[in-house]
Amino acid sequence: MFPSPNSNQRASNSLPLPQSSASRARQKVVLQPGHSPLDWANLKSKNLRGLPPGAPPPQFVKVTPKELKLHNKVDDCWTSINGKVYNITPYVNFHPGGVKEIMKSAGRDGTMLFNKYHSWVSVDRMLSNCLIGRYEP
C-alpha cells in the first residue's frame, strides 16, 4: 500500500535525499533589516565606488596587488573579480553568506571563490556602481 499524497510520513523503505557537501557546509545567515537583495538593488543605483569626487572613471584606474591589499577591512573592503576591482564595502552586510564569508576575498583576488559559489551571478551587474578599476597584477 502506498502512502497518500497528503501524508507527512515517509515510506519505511525510502532513503533520505543526499545533500551536497556545499549545502552541508553553509550556515544560514540572518541579514539585518534593510539588507535584503531588494534593498541592495535600490541602493546600488547610487555611486558606491567610495572614491573622492573627481576621481578618474574606472576604465582609467589600474589597481595593483599592493594597493588592493590595503583594502582588507570591513569598513574599507575591495576585491578583484574577473580582472576588475570592486569596492565591496557597501555590500558586505548585504552578502547572503554573511560578513565572515565575503571577507575571505577582502584585499585580494576573489575570482576563484566567487566563481566557486556564484558562477551564475553577473558580478558586473550586481556590483556595477562599486567598480574601482582594472586589476593589474
Side-chain angles (χ1 to χ4, degrees), residues 39-112:
D39 293 318
W40 174 252
N42 290 329
L43 178 65
K44 81 172 198 84
S45 65
K46 299 177 181 168
N47 179 349
L48 302 173
R49 293 178 71 200
L51 298 178
Q59 64 266 31
F60 298 114
V61 176
K62 296 177 185 176
V63 180
T64 64
K66 185 177 178 180
E67 173 70 16
L68 186 61
K69 285 180 185 178
L70 298 173
H71 303 276
N72 64 355
K73 296 171 183 57
V74 173
D75 62 344
D76 180 18
C77 187
W78 292 7
T79 191
S80 171
I81 301 172
N82 299 327
K84 296 178 183 177
V85 176
Y86 297 93
N87 172 18
I88 58 172
T89 309
Y91 184 70
V92 167
N93 291 313
F94 287 85
H95 186 256
V99 174
K100 183 179 176 184
E101 290 300 312
I102 198 167
M103 291 305 294
K104 290 178 180 177
S105 66
R108 61 188 213 113
D109 188 335
T111 301
M112 286 180 50

